[in-house]
Amino acid sequence: MPLTILVADDDLGTRLSISDYLDLCGYTVITANNGVDALAMVEKYHPDLMVTDIIMPQMNGYELVRRIRQQSVFRLLPVILLTARTKTQERILGYQSGCDLYLSKPFELEEVAAAIRNLLERSQIIQSECRFLYQEETNIATYTKEKNGHLSVSTQVQKSQILTPLTVREQEVLDLLTHGFSNGEIGNHLHLSPRTVEKYVSSLLRKTETSNRAELVRFAMKHGLVE
């Protein structure tokens, strides 16, 4: 079954050029011309990846990505932001909102397609491993429960053998991070600055020996660090 990509852009020419090219590449493409419709289509169709502009009517791309990341089912959805905005601070806002890649307009369709292939391949691997690990841990939990009548001992041993213990604050940041919250949103919840949140994220990456947030989420799910 072809993978589904959502393209959200209020410019008809951009929307058609991207969707036509991706259609030729073998993807199923759905489109939206504003952020509100894009959010509704994500919730309805569960696309495998989203490409979105930033400046759109009703809801901009930053807010669209933030709203999507607030839903745990979409916390690993690959998102590419396409925009004519090229200032460093604007790119930072894009990454803080939860996007995976930021490409500036004008862009080459071949580059967009290459970025999509890369993100989809990584996403499919992560999701496949998460499903396998979930099933494996479910089987282990069932066996442990049947044998011992409880799960806490095996879970604690598993955690203690994996990494340096997390601080209370690091655990709070990790819990929110795995639910798709951006640095700014995590800061609002915990009354921290985005810079301070980033320091905690860096500490989590170091302790778990992961290189990015997607790997960190996978690690946390694999080793039972989050509910």
Side-chain angles (χ1 to χ4, degrees):
M1 180 181 295
L3 298 176
T4 300
I5 298 176
L6 169 62
V7 177
D9 198 307
D10 63 326
D11 181 75
L12 178 60
T14 301
R15 199 165 64 246
L16 288 177
S17 64
I18 295 175
S19 60
D20 287 349
Y21 189 84
L22 294 179
D23 183 67
L24 290 174
C25 291
Y27 299 109
T28 297
V29 184
I30 54 178
T31 63
N33 60 13
N34 64 74
V36 171
D37 287 349
L39 179 60
M41 296 185 79
V42 167
E43 294 172 342
K44 180 178 181 180
Y45 295 105
H46 289 234
D48 298 289
L49 181 144
M50 180 176 73
V51 180
T52 179
D53 190 17
I54 290 179
I55 303 301
M56 295 186 294
Q58 300 186 49
M59 182 189 298
N60 64 40
Y62 293 141
E63 180 63 21
L64 171 61
V65 178
R66 282 193 291 268
R67 295 279 293 275
I68 288 172
R69 293 298 189 224
Q70 288 174 359
Q71 303 183 51
S72 60
V73 67
F74 301 124
R75 62 190 177 189
L76 295 180
L77 173 68
V79 175
I80 298 176
L81 281 179
L82 294 177
T83 181
R85 295 185 169 188
T86 58
K87 293 182 179 179
T88 300
Q89 187 58 39
E90 291 167 338
R91 292 199 300 272
I92 291 174
L93 286 174
Y95 288 120
Q96 287 180 338
S97 70
C99 80
D100 295 279
L101 187 62
Y102 190 110
L103 294 180
S104 300
K105 296 178 180 180
F107 51 82
E108 295 292 334
L109 289 171
E110 291 86 349
E111 180 183 8
V112 176
I116 287 173
R117 282 194 299 271
N118 180 58
L119 288 175
L120 284 173
E121 288 174 2
R122 186 174 65 183
S123 174
Q124 294 298 304
I125 291 172
I126 291 174
Q127 291 184 40
S128 177
E129 290 186 2
C130 285
R131 285 192 295 268
F132 173 79
L133 291 169
Y134 176 79
Q135 185 60 50
E136 185 179 58
E137 291 179 1
T138 298
N139 293 339
I140 292 173
T142 301
Y143 172 77
T144 306
K145 185 175 182 180
E146 291 175 350
K147 184 176 181 180
N148 300 328
H150 60 81
L151 306 177
S152 59
V153 174
S154 63
T155 301
Q156 291 300 324
V157 170
Q158 183 187 45
K159 287 185 179 181
S160 64
Q161 292 177 343
I162 291 167
L163 75 166
T164 304
L166 302 183
T167 66
V168 173
R169 185 63 83 186
E170 287 171 343
Q171 185 65 57
E172 291 174 338
V173 170
L174 180 60
D175 289 340
L176 293 173
L177 183 65
T178 55
H179 282 82
F181 285 82
S182 67
N183 283 2
E185 291 169 331
I186 293 173
N188 289 336
H189 277 77
L190 302 179
H191 306 291
L192 301 171
S193 69
R195 185 182 297 274
T196 301
V197 173
E198 187 59 40
K199 290 181 180 178
Y200 282 115
V201 173
S202 297
S203 177
L204 288 166
L205 292 172
R206 184 176 63 257
K207 285 187 175 182
T208 58
E209 298 183 353
T210 53
S211 58
N212 55 57
R213 296 182 181 216
E215 289 184 8
L216 175 58
V217 170
R218 181 178 60 179
F219 184 97
M221 295 173 66
K222 174 181 178 180
H223 298 297
L225 300 178
V226 292
E227 294 295 333

